[in-house]
Amino acid sequence: MSEIMAIEFEEEIMLLLVQAGAARSAAISALRLAREGRFSEAQQQLAAAGESISAAHQQQTALIGLDEGSGKLPVTLILVHAQDHLMNAMLIQDLAGEIIELYRRTAAGGTDA
């Protein structure tokens, strides 16, 4: 891998990591807001998490494109770490949506409202 390509690779990984971290933070924030009954703000944070996950997925797609499915790129610890963060952010976003709905139902008196 050339030095320029290595730098691009590292930048893509860092962007993936940053976006995944932002998604995780927004999803956790959404949960905290919902626990306080601030459902509109919680929904905004959940939407922000979704936007960050979408951006992270674009970074992931760019990395896959650089590799071209042929093992051109090294599997580094930071790449594995970034992928792990993305997977966790996606899981947290999904669970946050479900937990927020439970908070909403509890606040509404246990109905399916």
Side-chain angles (χ1 to χ4, degrees):
M1 177 185 301
S2 74
E3 188 174 331
I4 292 173
M5 190 170 179
I7 291 169
E8 288 177 20
F9 177 60
E10 210 169 284
E11 287 174 357
E12 294 295 328
I13 292 171
M14 294 311 292
L15 287 170
L16 171 62
L17 193 53
V18 166
Q19 291 297 338
R24 181 192 178 282
S25 293
I28 295 296
S29 177
L31 281 169
R32 290 180 178 143
L33 288 163
R35 185 176 57 210
E36 296 171 5
R38 298 162 60 188
F39 298 112
S40 178
E41 293 168 85
Q43 204 57 46
Q44 290 171 353
Q45 285 297 303
L46 207 52
E51 290 171 15
S52 291
I53 285 174
S54 179
H57 189 260
Q58 289 176 3
Q59 294 311 126
Q60 182 185 49
T61 301
L63 288 169
I64 291 168
L66 286 173
D67 187 63
E68 297 176 340
S70 61
K72 289 181 181 180
L73 301 178
V75 178
T76 63
L77 185 56
I78 192 71
L79 175 59
V80 173
H81 182 64
Q83 289 292 116
D84 190 41
H85 268 275
L86 177 56
M87 288 176 19
N88 282 318
M90 294 170 77
L91 176 62
I92 291 168
Q93 180 197 25
D94 289 345
L95 288 174
E98 294 298 321
I99 293 169
I100 289 168
E101 180 59 25
L102 290 173
Y103 280 135
R104 189 185 326 270
R105 288 180 185 194
T106 300
T111 65
D112 287 341

